Amino acid sequence: MHGQGGGEERKKAQHMRAAPTRATVVLSGDGDAFGSVLPLLLIPFQSDLSQLKSIKMRQRKNGSSIKHPNLSDAEAKPQKKSPYSSKDVFLTCLGFRMLNALLIQTYFNPDEHWQALEVAHRIAFGYGHLTWEWEEGIRSYLHPMMFALFYKLLALLRLDIPCVMIKAPRLLQSIFSAVGDLYLYKLSFVLFGDGVAKWALFSQLANWFMFFCFNRTFSNSLETTLTLVGLYYWPSVRSSLNKAPSGSRKWGLALAALACAIRPTSAVTWVYVGLLELYLTHDRLRFIFVELIPIGSVVLGITCLLDRLMYDSWVLVPLNFLKFNFLSSGGDYYGTHKWHWYFTQGFTVMVFTFLPFCVAGIIKFVLPVLPVSLIFAGYSLTALEERGSRNGEKKRSSCICNKWPSRKQLAIFFLLASNIPMALYMSLIHQRGTEDAMNYLSKVAAKGKVKSIVFLMPCHATPYYSTLHNNLPMRFLDCAPSSNAFHMSCSKGMPTESDRFMMDPVSFAVDFAKNWSHPSHIVLFDSEERHLKDFLVSHSFREVRRFFHAHFKVDRDLQASVVVYAMTDT
């Protein structure tokens, strides 16, 4: 009896040591102002490297297949096939994301319009505003070009009308988002099996921030999809190294290179995962010289050629990005967060009520490497489901029925009850006024009733030509850094036009009006309208529309409404 008990204990200890090493990435939303929203949560790799190397050498010597030392024999066996086909999962996610895209009617971060759609509109139609980042060559045209080609297709089909131009870009993004959802499911399946994959997908679809942000046309949204697909094809993140499909690492490298070309900050993730693969693989020279360098060079070359064509000069965007954001203080121009912000505020707000389930899932593993937080939420929900089913079998033998909901049912109700209202409020209500105002102006402009527009509000507070889709004179208050900011540092001592307007709206408007050519329409927030009402009336403007914007302030005074004024004879 003693010997049997010791054997059981040894088996349990071996099972604990066999906890699988996993690697995934945190999903995030967008916005340089949000601090590169899609922030990546890196969890340290804690594997015993000496143990790993000795086992690899022993396996190679014996001619056996190379298996990760932290995998049990059962986990190294081929995974069973998913009960749901990829087609069914994708179509379900696509339908959900398309509805999701139609429900997004609010303004989140300027980059959605000004760094993607505005640039694409300029490429496709010849007019659109390029912000200072494009003048300094710190952004690649790779991401906007995708939407530019889409705009060209709409124009060819004569569908470039206001309602289509407003909704179509997010509907296009919903296709990429559905691909990301599908590969989150597939990645979860190869890591943990069907139960976790199902609940991880539920967590992704139910999470308020993913609903609010994933379908927006941020470069981060596409980067997230590419990262998920790339990690699925990356050998070292799978449960068994010898079960990755043939040639999958090349696909993973190509997708990683594309993600880095679209957003250089994606390199933080892929350098980490690449070093892990470099250590685990037995064909390091092939990995570096036959795969990594050639594939990376091809993607970099294509990106450089595209940027050479669009910039009309040779521009190495990753180098410029590095110089501006890390080798100078240029990246601090729009503000910085404390080192702990991502973990204490940014990440926790995005994960929201899924946080305890993410943590509960993570702490069950010995060696978590770069986990996707929502996959671990799915793992936690699966554990609740399995525990509930075991308890249910025991209770059935002693009672007829149980009227109380299970822990899993309570958890699901809690997550849906907290995330659905948040998702709908943020997508349908909060900060929708600037979008509504531009949608209104685009329809009025299409009827020939708008001659020119001035935006007396903080810079980049509304969409621009990509929504108006009419080549009319427009003017917004500039907030670009000083001309030497790129080469030296951004001077915060010199207020921009936008700053000066916010400090004294009346004095600024009086000076500004001395040089304008009487616009037909003026757009402003109600917080500044209170100060400028007499000025507007004296210049023959009258209120024509007022749009609700927000119930509470975000980073300035409460901007409850967006007001559109027009000349009295318009």
Side-chain angles (χ1 to χ4, degrees):
M1 294 295 291
H2 178 75
Q4 290 177 351
E8 290 178 359
E9 290 299 318
R10 282 194 297 273
K11 289 180 180 178
K12 290 180 181 178
Q14 289 171 357
H15 179 70
M16 290 300 293
R17 287 196 298 270
T21 297
R22 327 278 184 179
T24 39
V25 66
V26 164
L27 305 178
S28 77
D30 189 84
D32 290 335
F34 194 74
S36 262
V37 196
L38 263 180
L40 300 172
L41 179 63
L42 296 175
I43 298 182
F45 179 55
Q46 304 169 18
S47 177
D48 187 340
L49 300 180
S50 59
Q51 177 195 14
L52 175 59
K53 182 174 290 187
S54 63
I55 292 178
K56 284 177 62 183
M57 291 177 65
R58 186 164 62 251
Q59 289 175 329
R60 200 174 302 153
K61 182 178 180 180
N62 296 334
S64 60
S65 60
I66 296 177
K67 179 173 70 69
H68 198 285
N70 289 323
L71 290 175
S72 65
D73 291 336
E75 288 171 314
K77 293 179 180 178
Q79 302 253 7
K80 66 178 182 179
K81 188 177 180 181
S82 170
Y84 308 104
S85 69
S86 295
K87 179 181 178 182
D88 291 341
V89 174
F90 174 72
L91 290 177
T92 300
C93 294
L94 179 62
F96 178 85
R97 289 302 178 194
M98 293 187 84
L99 176 62
N100 183 180
L102 293 174
L103 287 174
I104 296 175
Q105 300 176 32
T106 56
Y107 195 79
F108 173 34
N109 185 279
D111 283 7
E112 179 184 8
H113 297 281
W114 292 81
Q115 304 298 354
L117 301 184
E118 193 67 17
V119 181
H121 194 277
R122 184 184 180 94
I123 297 170
F125 300 106
Y127 61 97
H129 183 83
L130 295 182
T131 61
W132 62 270
E133 291 97 329
W134 299 91
E135 296 177 2
E136 301 292 355
I138 63 175
R139 288 188 179 266
S140 173
Y141 278 91
L142 189 60
H143 180 244
M145 185 59 71
M146 177 181 69
F147 292 99
L149 295 174
F150 182 58
Y151 280 149
K152 281 289 190 183
L153 177 62
L154 292 178
L156 184 65
L157 298 175
R158 303 194 178 205
L159 291 175
D160 56 327
I161 56 178
C163 62
V164 175
M165 293 294 291
I166 291 167
K167 295 294 183 182
R170 286 173 182 160
L171 285 171
L172 175 63
Q173 179 59 43
S174 71
I175 300 174
F176 302 117
S177 300
V179 172
D181 294 332
L182 168 64
Y183 276 88
L184 178 84
Y185 174 83
K186 296 178 72 170
L187 179 61
S188 305
F189 183 82
V190 300
L191 290 175
F192 302 116
D194 177 63
V196 175
K198 176 180 64 178
W199 288 112
L201 181 59
F202 162 81
S203 300
Q204 168 117 322
L205 297 179
N207 178 259
W208 82 270
F209 192 81
M210 295 302 295
F211 188 95
F212 172 64
C213 190
F214 203 19
N215 277 339
R216 296 181 184 270
T217 55
F218 295 122
S219 58
N220 300 73
S221 299
L222 184 58
E223 174 199 10
T224 299
T225 295
L226 291 171
T227 300
L228 284 168
V229 181
L231 286 172
Y232 171 77
Y233 285 108
W234 202 258
S236 61
V237 305
R238 288 172 171 263
S239 295
S240 178
L241 295 181
N242 59 349
K243 295 303 175 185
S246 177
S248 67
R249 190 165 65 187
K250 295 178 182 177
W251 282 107
L253 280 168
L255 292 161
L258 279 173
C260 294
I262 288 172
R263 267 191 87 77
T265 51
S266 190
V268 174
T269 300
W270 288 107
V271 166
Y272 187 91
V273 177
L275 290 174
L276 177 63
E277 178 68 18
L278 181 65
Y279 187 85
L280 293 177
T281 186
H282 65 279
D283 53 350
R284 292 191 180 112
L285 293 179
R286 176 182 177 82
F287 174 60
I288 295 173
F289 295 104
V290 179
E291 298 176 357
L292 177 62
I293 293 177
I295 292 174
S297 298
V298 168
V299 173
L300 179 62
I302 292 173
T303 305
C304 287
L305 286 174
L306 175 62
D307 290 333
R308 169 68 177 83
L309 177 66
M310 302 307 300
Y311 279 110
D312 201 27
S313 62
W314 287 107
V315 174
L316 193 59
V317 170
L319 179 60
N320 290 342
F321 182 91
L322 178 68
K323 288 167 58 179
F324 184 79
N325 285 282
F326 299 102
L327 302 182
S328 75
S329 59
D332 300 341
Y333 181 73
Y334 291 109
T336 58
H337 294 296
K338 294 184 181 298
W339 66 270
H340 57 76
W341 183 86
Y342 283 122
F343 304 101
T344 59
Q345 299 177 54
F347 175 68
T348 53
V349 169
M350 289 188 293
V351 176
F352 197 43
T353 53
F354 282 92
L355 183 62
F357 299 93
C358 298
V359 173
I362 289 173
I363 62 176
K364 294 175 186 297
F365 291 90
V366 179
L367 302 173
V369 180
L370 222 62
V372 175
S373 59
L374 294 175
I375 289 181
F376 284 99
Y379 180 89
S380 183
L381 289 170
T382 305
L384 288 176
E385 184 178 38
E386 292 173 350
R387 189 182 305 126
S389 63
R390 289 195 298 268
N391 293 338
E393 291 176 359
K394 294 178 182 178
K395 290 179 180 178
R396 283 193 206 100
S397 61
S398 59
C399 64
I400 299 175
C401 63
N402 183 9
K403 295 182 179 180
W404 296 101
S406 66
R407 290 183 179 181
K408 184 199 74 173
Q409 290 171 330
L410 289 173
I412 293 171
F413 175 78
F414 169 68
L415 291 172
L416 292 177
S418 55
N419 279 270
I420 290 177
M422 184 76 160
L424 294 177
Y425 178 79
M426 296 298 291
S427 299
L428 289 169
I429 299 172
H430 181 61
Q431 295 191 151
R432 66 170 295 153
T434 50
E435 295 258 343
D436 287 341
M438 284 305 298
N439 296 348
Y440 161 76
L441 287 170
S442 70
K443 294 171 184 175
V444 175
K447 298 176 182 177
K449 296 182 178 180
V450 179
K451 305 302 180 185
S452 60
I453 307 172
V454 166
F455 297 86
L456 290 180
M457 55 202 329
C459 67
H460 308 143
T462 69
Y464 213 51
Y465 281 111
S466 60
T467 296
L468 188 74
H469 193 50
N470 204 310
N471 195 9
L472 298 172
M474 292 202 293
R475 175 78 157 83
F476 69 94
L477 304 184
D478 184 58
C479 60
S482 56
S483 59
N484 65 339
F486 182 72
H487 302 287
M488 297 175 63
S489 64
C490 291
S491 173
K492 295 183 180 180
M494 298 180 61
T496 63
E497 275 190 339
S498 182
D499 295 331
R500 288 187 282 119
F501 171 72
M502 296 302 292
M503 288 187 288
D504 190 347
V506 176
S507 297
F508 180 89
V510 170
D511 292 338
F512 188 76
K514 294 176 182 177
N515 299 315
W516 72 10
S517 54
H518 273 82
S520 64
H521 290 75
I522 291 179
V523 184
L524 70 167
F525 286 115
D526 66 316
S527 53
E528 282 69 54
E529 180 207 19
R530 292 194 297 267
H531 304 289
L532 294 174
K533 202 143 194 172
D534 292 340
F535 167 83
L536 294 168
V537 171
S538 66
H539 285 78
S540 303
F541 285 96
R542 60 182 175 85
E543 179 185 330
V544 291
R545 288 298 297 269
R546 183 178 294 263
F547 300 94
F548 166 80
H549 187 61
H551 287 115
F552 55 89
K553 65 180 182 178
V554 179
D555 55 352
R556 299 183 178 92
D557 293 336
L558 174 62
Q559 297 164 334
S561 305
V562 177
V563 193
V564 179
Y565 275 76
M567 291 286 291
T568 52
D569 58 348
T570 301

